[in-house]
Amino acid sequence: MSAEPLRAGEAAARRGADGLVPPRDFALAVERLEDGTAVLVLAGELDLYRAPEIEQALAQAIEADRDGDRLAQTCGAPSAGDAPSSDKGVRRIAVDLRSVTFLDSTTLVLLLEVSQRQRTRGGELLILVGPQTPTTAFEVTGFDRLLTIRRVHADPSGSLL
């Protein structure tokens, strides 16, 4: 099982009539919208083995120094680069989970950590789910109350946000 990274804009080209990326074992793509929002599109199964790739894609989307972020995450204290006055990195990140078929606790924790880092920086992390997204894990853990989750239905205009 190997990841199949999608090039920028390729996720949009692969979406079917319903706006979803066809299911696969795993795929990810980072898209930048004109308003400066970074969108991480994920498809397939998100588990312990995929977490490093997802974390790397999120770090690249934010354009942050990965070592600084990892240190802040481990220590639990924001670094100077994460202060709300910092202009480093993307302020709004959307994680599109509409084509995800499975996600585990590793993915949930990763999303929560990124959300907390974004809030510390004065930014936002938005989780996009669709009718087929497995959301039970969010509800059982209470993460649905800690993360900003938006239900998105098929939209012919292609607008997610």
Side-chain angles (χ1 to χ4, degrees):
M1 294 198 277
S2 64
E4 183 180 334
L6 303 175
R7 285 181 239 92
E10 190 175 342
R14 283 194 174 182
R15 286 195 173 111
D18 58 1
L20 302 178
V21 176
R24 313 184 161 242
D25 180 44
F26 176 72
L28 68 87
V30 177
E31 300 174 357
R32 296 212 183 259
L33 303 181
E34 289 181 15
D35 67 358
T37 300
V39 180
L40 177 62
V41 181
L42 296 167
E45 298 184 1
L46 311 183
D47 57 21
L48 172 68
Y49 303 104
R50 302 301 183 198
E53 293 169 82
I54 297 167
E55 182 178 22
Q56 180 180 10
L58 282 165
Q60 289 173 350
I62 298 169
E63 296 179 349
D65 177 71
R66 286 182 43 82
D67 292 336
D69 279 350
R70 195 166 273 142
L71 178 62
Q73 173 183 335
T74 303
C75 297
S79 67
D82 290 334
S85 62
S86 173
D87 61 353
K88 180 173 125 179
V90 173
R91 294 284 180 226
R92 187 169 195 209
I93 300 171
V95 179
D96 185 347
L97 301 180
R98 294 179 303 148
S99 296
V100 168
T101 57
F102 171 82
L103 59 96
D104 70 359
S105 60
T106 307
T107 305
L108 292 177
V109 169
L110 177 60
L111 292 172
L112 183 62
E113 289 172 347
V114 172
S115 177
Q116 291 171 336
R117 275 187 269 154
Q118 280 296 97
R119 281 191 201 119
T120 300
R121 297 174 64 243
E124 172 187 22
L125 178 77
L126 177 63
I127 309 294
L128 305 173
V129 298
Q132 299 174 3
T133 306
T135 57
T136 305
F138 289 105
E139 296 156 4
V140 169
T141 59
F143 280 30
D144 60 334
R145 294 185 304 272
L146 301 173
L147 295 167
T148 304
I149 300 174
R150 179 179 298 162
R151 291 207 174 273
V152 179
H153 301 285
D155 181 0
S157 72
S159 175
L160 295 176
L161 306 174

